[in-house]
C-alpha cells in the first residue's frame, strides 16, 4: 500500500477525462491534478516550447511527493516521450497506452486518429498506430479548433460552432469508413457525444485518456502501490473560479467540491 498521491497534468480540462476514468478504476487514490489553463492550448506550441513546459510541469507535480504521474495530454505524450521515460517518478503517457488499446481491437479496416496540431505534426501517433496495427490504413487529422471551443464551453452536441467544427474535421474519417477512431487528445472525450452523433453508432471510439488511466492503474496494482483516501487537490495556472466551474460541470458535481488553487503560469520560451 502506498497512499502518496498520483499526479495528473494537462493543459486544462482535458485531463479530467483521465481523472474520471482513474477514479472509476481506483476510487481510493489521492490525486493532485494540475490544469495548465494559463498556457492552453498546447497544440499550437512548438516542440521546444512543449519540451520546456513538460519539464516545468514535472517539477511542479513531482514537488507534491507523488508516487506516479499520468501525463493526461496527447500533445506532451507525443512530443516528449523520451522525457517522460527519463523522469525519476514513474510516468505514464497516453500515446503508447492508446496504441496498445487500438492493437486489441478486432477488424482489419481503416482506422483514424484525431489530435492536436502539434501531436499530428510529431508523427508519433501515426508511427505508434502503424506498429500496433500493421496492415491497417491509418489516417491522422488535426483538429486545432476543438480545444479552444471546449475550453470556452462549446461542448453541447447541439452547439452550432461545435457541430460545424466536428463536420469539418471528421468528414475524411467518415469518408474512409474508419472502423475505429482514436481520440488522441484528452480534451476530445468531453465532446464524444458530438463526435458519435456525426460518425454514427458503428465506429469504435477509443479514448487516449481512458487508456492512459487504465495503463497507470495496471502498473500500480502490479506493483502493489495502490491506496489512499480518495482525496483530490486541484491546481490551475488559470483562474481558479473558472476552472472549478467548468470542472464541476464536466465531473457532474457541485462547484464547491472543486476547490482549485491558482498558481502563476510559468514562462514559455518565445519559440
Ligand atoms: N489535452 C491535451 C492533449 O491531449 C492538450 C490540448 C491542447 O492544449 O491543445 O493533447
Amino acid at each position: 500500500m502506498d497512499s502518496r498521491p498520483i499526479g495528473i497534468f494537462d493543459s486544462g480540462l482535458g485531463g479530467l477525462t483521465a481523472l474520471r476514468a482513474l477514479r472509476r478504476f481506483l476510487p481510493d487514490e489521492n490525486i493532485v491534478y494540475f490544469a495548465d489553463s494559463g498556457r492552453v492550448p498546447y497544440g499550437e506550441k512548438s516542440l521546444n516550447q512543449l519540451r520546456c513546459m513538460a519539464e516545468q510541469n514535472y517539477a511542479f507535480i513531482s514537488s507534491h511527493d507523488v508516487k506516479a504521474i499520468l501525463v493526461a495530454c496527447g500533445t506532451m505524450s507525443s512530443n516528449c516521450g523520451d522525457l517522460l521515460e527519463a523522469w525519476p517518478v514513474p510516468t505514464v503517457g497516453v500515446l503508447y497506452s492508446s496504441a496498445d488499446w487500438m492493437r486489441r481491437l478486432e477488424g482489419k479496416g481503416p482506422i483514424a486518429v484525431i489530435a492536436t496540431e502539434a501531436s499530428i505534426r510529431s508523427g508519433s501517433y501515426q508511427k505508434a498506430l502503424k506498429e500496433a496495427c500493421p496492415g491497417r490504413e491509418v489516417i491522422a487529422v488535426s483538429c486545432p479548433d476543438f480545444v479552444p471551443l471546449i475550453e470556452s464551453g462549446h461542448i453541447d452536441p447541439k452547439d452550432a460552432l461545435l457541430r460545424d467544427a466536428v463536420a469539418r474535421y471528421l468528414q475524411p474519417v467518415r469518408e474512409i469508413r474508419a472502423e475505429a477512431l482514436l481520440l488522441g487528445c484528452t480534451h476530445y472525450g468531453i465532446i464524444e457525444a458530438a463526435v458519435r452523433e456525426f460518425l454514427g453508432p458503428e465506429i469504435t471510439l477509443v479514448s487516449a485518456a481512458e487508456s492512459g488511466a487504465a495503463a497507470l492503474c495496471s502498473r500500480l496494482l502490479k506493483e502493489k502501490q495502490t491506496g489512499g483516501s480518495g482525496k483530490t487537490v486541484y491546481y490551475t495556472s488559470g483562474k481558479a473560479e473558472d476552472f472549478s466551474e467548468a470542472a464541476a460541470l464536466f465531473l457532474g458535481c457541485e462547484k464547491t467540491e472543486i476547490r482549485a488553487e491558482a498558481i502563476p503560469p510559468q514562462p514559455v520560451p518565445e519559440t
Side-chain angles (χ1 to χ4, degrees):
M1 151 124 183
D2 185 342
S3 61
R4 288 178 301 158
I6 295 168
I8 303 181
F9 68 78
D10 178 44
S11 64
L13 300 172
L16 294 175
T17 55
L19 179 143
R20 190 176 57 178
L22 196 62
R23 273 264 161 271
R24 216 170 58 229
F25 304 144
L26 294 172
D28 294 336
E29 290 302 305
N30 296 322
I31 294 175
V32 178
Y33 184 90
F34 173 48
D36 197 6
S37 319
R39 306 195 290 183
V40 69
Y42 282 1
E44 292 175 2
K45 306 281 190 291
S46 71
L47 177 62
N48 182 51
Q49 289 172 323
L50 288 168
R51 292 175 71 82
C52 169
M53 290 157 67
E55 293 291 11
Q56 292 166 334
N57 291 355
Y58 173 75
F60 175 72
I61 209 91
S62 64
S63 71
H64 290 81
D65 190 28
V66 291
K67 62 186 169 191
I69 295 172
L70 177 57
V71 178
C73 174
T75 309
M76 279 192 175
S77 303
S78 55
N79 282 278
C80 315
D82 56 326
L83 301 180
L84 272 56
E85 274 170 35
W87 289 339
V89 177
T91 300
V92 170
V94 299
L95 172 67
Y96 295 113
S97 53
S98 55
D100 207 47
W101 196 295
M102 296 288 279
R103 181 202 316 273
R104 286 184 261 126
L105 298 179
E106 285 176 8
K108 291 191 166 53
I111 53 174
V113 54
I114 53 172
T116 66
E117 210 152 14
S119 295
I120 300 300
R121 189 184 59 217
S122 76
S124 300
Y125 271 115
Q126 296 91 314
K127 187 166 178 282
L129 287 176
K130 287 215 151 82
E131 276 166 21
C133 313
R136 298 188 80 159
E137 181 187 353
V138 177
I139 67 157
V141 182
S142 63
C143 311
D145 291 345
F146 279 176
V147 169
L149 281 171
I150 294 164
E151 287 283 334
S152 55
H154 295 273
I155 59 173
D156 190 312
K158 295 195 172 37
D159 181 285
L161 284 178
L162 179 63
R163 284 170 78 103
D164 268 12
V166 166
R168 193 159 23 98
Y169 292 132
L170 298 187
Q171 186 55 30
V173 178
R174 189 145 90 171
E175 270 165 21
I176 66 154
R177 295 174 180 274
E179 290 178 359
L181 171 67
L182 171 59
L183 307 178
C185 167
T186 54
H187 275 77
Y188 299 174
I190 298 175
I191 54 162
E192 189 174 324
V195 171
R196 167 68 70 203
E197 202 172 295
F198 182 77
L199 292 176
E202 297 295 318
I203 191 163
T204 303
L205 299 182
V206 172
S207 154
E210 292 205 11
S211 72
L216 179 63
C217 168
S218 313
R219 184 164 172 167
L220 292 174
L221 286 169
K222 193 167 143 219
E223 287 166 21
K224 299 194 175 15
Q225 266 195 305
T226 54
S229 53
K231 193 172 149 206
T232 310
V233 177
Y234 296 93
Y235 292 93
T236 176
S237 59
K239 286 202 184 105
E241 183 74 8
D242 292 353
F243 176 79
S244 302
E245 202 163 304
L249 190 70
F250 173 67
L251 295 172
C253 60
E254 292 299 319
K255 198 170 110 182
T256 46
E257 288 174 55
I258 315 265
R259 253 183 249 116
E261 186 178 324
I263 59 161
Q266 303 236 43
V268 184
E270 272 180 26
T271 54

